Amino acid sequence: MKFSARTVRTSRYPVLIGEGALEHLQKELKGFWKMKSQILILTDANTRRFCLPELLNRLPLLEEATVLSVDAGEEKKSLLIAEYLWKELGSHHADRASLLINLGGGMVTDLGGFVASAYHRGISTIHLPTTLIGQIDAAIGGKTGVNINSLKNQVGTFYSPHGVYVWPGFLITLPMAQVRSGLAEVAKAALIQDEQFWRWLTRKPLLQILEIPFTEPFWKEVLLRSIRIKMDIVKQDPFERNRRKLLNFGHTIGHAIESFSLRRETLVLHGDAVAAGMLCEGFLSLHKTALDPLQLEEMIRWILPGFGKFPLLEENGAAYLDLMQHDKKNRQQEIRFTLLSGIGKGKINQACTPGQIHEALSAYDTL
Ligand SMILES: NC(=O)c1ccc[n+]([C@@H]2O[C@H](COP(=O)([O-])OP(=O)(O)OC[C@H]3O[C@@H](n4cnc5c(N)ncnc54)[C@H](O)[C@@H]3O)[C@@H](O)[C@H]2O)c1
């Protein structure tokens, strides 16, 4: 995938995307070195192994940086780990002028962004996303957070990074299951806002897309189009008062599935949970926002063969409903969803009753 860096600017910070992104980062870092700021890099065990050597190889300036590492996995996005990192920053004498670079997927950028936002009331932070979800979604938009009691993102901040550098080369070592998980967020971006992107994406079955090497121009298109959608929405509504809620399509039920799995042995990947959430919320959309059943069928045909199915009601429907009650979009005890009135047309603030949700989970179960 050859494309030199393109800059997309939010009102507050640049997002650089492409082969040249790391060169731009190098220039930016020189400013921090000049100011004698301390630079720290946060990784998880996998990004330390797969991405850090590549980063140091390309940006030898960073060899002097202090590396902080945590184990990989969603359960590490916790207050306990955040506290551990604050203590680590303290023991390395990080001060207000320090810079924390988050090298990793959404877990690392959410956690590192949160840690940076609160340490000494906020230090500079840069996101270097290394997963598909991180590159098209999690690292962009300034949301940080940790899970509490296995409930997703219960504590967090809106905190703008100094910059986001999307270097597609990191994706090469990403396991296929993680690529698939990222494709759920790609599909979501298309479904809420860009029908033409959905048509383009779904010309190929999902399983076939998973075989396309990251060096192919296909992925450049996926990255640019998905990032544009996210940036466009976030620019209009940075603090999620209205339009940004569009990005939650599939996530009310998806987060309940993910949270439920955090309490069990077998962890469900974020994107896999969102894929199931999008189908369930597709069923809700039939009744609440008049989604055409043929369009829902189209979604099912593309999503289901790639992601498979979780037995939802069969497992524990009541627990999912209970988890949805904690969703941050809810108001006055109503469970609120972002639904679709058509492909490419998200609709926010759709209140659904427990009965309607139960029906949607049951329709999904019978697929
Ligand atoms: N802040 C936001 O706006 C936002 C948006 C979407 C998702 N999220 C959050 O993002 C998280 C999910 O993101 P994710 O899927 O990137 O999770 P993740 O960070 O846990 O990464 C998934 C796995 O891939 C490994 N990995 C990362 N980069 C790799 C690489 N280049 N090569 C090999 N392995 C690599 C990680 O170690 C981990 O095991 C969730 O916590 C979700 O809530 C946040």
Side-chain angles (χ1 to χ4, degrees), residues 29 32-33 37-41 62 64-66 98-99 101:
L29 289 179
F32 281 95
W33 286 122
S37 307
Q38 192 188 0
I39 300 185
L40 302 103
I41 304 174
L62 281 175
E64 289 171 39
T66 303
S98 299
L99 167 70
I101 298 178

Side-chain angles (χ1 to χ4, degrees), residues 4-259:
S4 57
R6 288 201 199 172
T7 311
V8 189
R9 204 161 251 291
T10 66
S11 48
R12 295 175 178 198
Y13 57 92
V15 178
L16 281 112
I17 312 149
E19 288 299 323
L22 292 185
E23 284 158 36
H24 284 263
L25 174 60
Q26 167 116 340
K27 282 187 209 141
E28 198 57 38
L29 289 179
K30 282 187 181 147
F32 281 95
W33 286 122
K34 249 189 224 153
M35 306 272 290
K36 302 210 182 330
S37 307
Q38 192 188 0
I39 300 185
L40 302 103
I41 304 174
L42 174 64
T43 70
D44 70 16
N46 293 324
T47 60
R48 185 171 193 144
R49 177 170 171 214
F50 295 112
C51 308
L52 186 64
E54 189 66 42
L55 179 67
L56 297 183
N57 190 24
R58 286 167 182 269
L59 272 69
L61 257 180
L62 281 175
E63 262 159 26
E64 289 171 39
T66 303
V67 178
L68 306 178
S69 211
V70 297
D71 286 343
E74 182 65 24
E75 66 280 19
K76 297 294 173 295
K77 212 175 94 173
S78 70
L79 261 186
L80 201 69
I81 300 289
E83 188 185 3
Y84 159 77
L85 290 171
W86 285 318
K87 287 179 181 159
E88 282 291 288
L89 288 172
S91 71
H92 288 285
H93 308 291
D95 59 23
R96 272 225 166 134
S98 299
L99 167 70
L100 181 65
I101 298 178
N102 303 305
L103 177 68
M107 189 282 280
V108 169
T109 53
D110 275 11
L111 173 69
F114 177 65
V115 165
S117 72
Y119 184 76
H120 287 197
R121 300 207 172 84
I123 59 171
S124 296
T125 190
I126 279 177
H127 295 321
L128 268 182
T130 61
T131 60
L132 186 54
I133 288 192
Q135 299 202 341
I136 62 146
D137 194 352
I140 295 164
K143 269 192 187 179
T144 81
V146 294
N147 308 323
I148 304 271
N149 193 19
S150 80
L151 292 170
K152 294 275 301 173
N153 308 324
Q154 291 294 296
V155 173
T157 52
F158 285 100
Y159 193 65
S160 294
H162 188 82
V164 179
Y165 296 81
V166 176
W167 186 60
F170 285 133
L171 299 178
I172 285 168
T173 54
L174 201 59
M176 199 181 268
Q178 300 292 346
V179 181
R180 185 192 61 206
S181 169
L183 278 169
E185 293 285 14
V186 172
K188 178 206 72 182
L191 285 167
I192 56 172
Q193 159 134 333
D194 190 343
E195 183 177 3
Q196 199 211 356
F197 181 28
W198 169 261
R199 302 262 161 260
W200 175 84
L201 180 73
T202 56
R203 277 188 313 193
K204 289 185 177 49
L206 197 143
L207 290 171
Q208 206 175 309
I209 293 179
L210 290 175
E211 303 292 329
I212 302 175
F214 277 111
T215 43
E216 291 294 313
F218 171 85
W219 287 108
K220 168 190 166 185
E221 200 65 22
V222 165
L223 289 180
L224 286 174
R225 284 195 184 208
S226 313
I227 291 172
R228 261 193 217 121
I229 293 171
K230 172 100 194 220
M231 301 271 298
D232 174 53
I233 292 174
V234 164
K235 255 191 213 170
Q236 292 176 43
D237 178 22
F239 301 113
E240 198 171 310
R241 301 218 161 93
N242 286 298
R243 199 167 162 67
R244 188 168 177 164
K245 292 182 193 164
L246 279 177
L247 294 163
N248 294 324
F249 174 59
H251 282 63
T252 306
I253 293 177
H255 275 164
I257 297 170
E258 206 183 349
S259 294

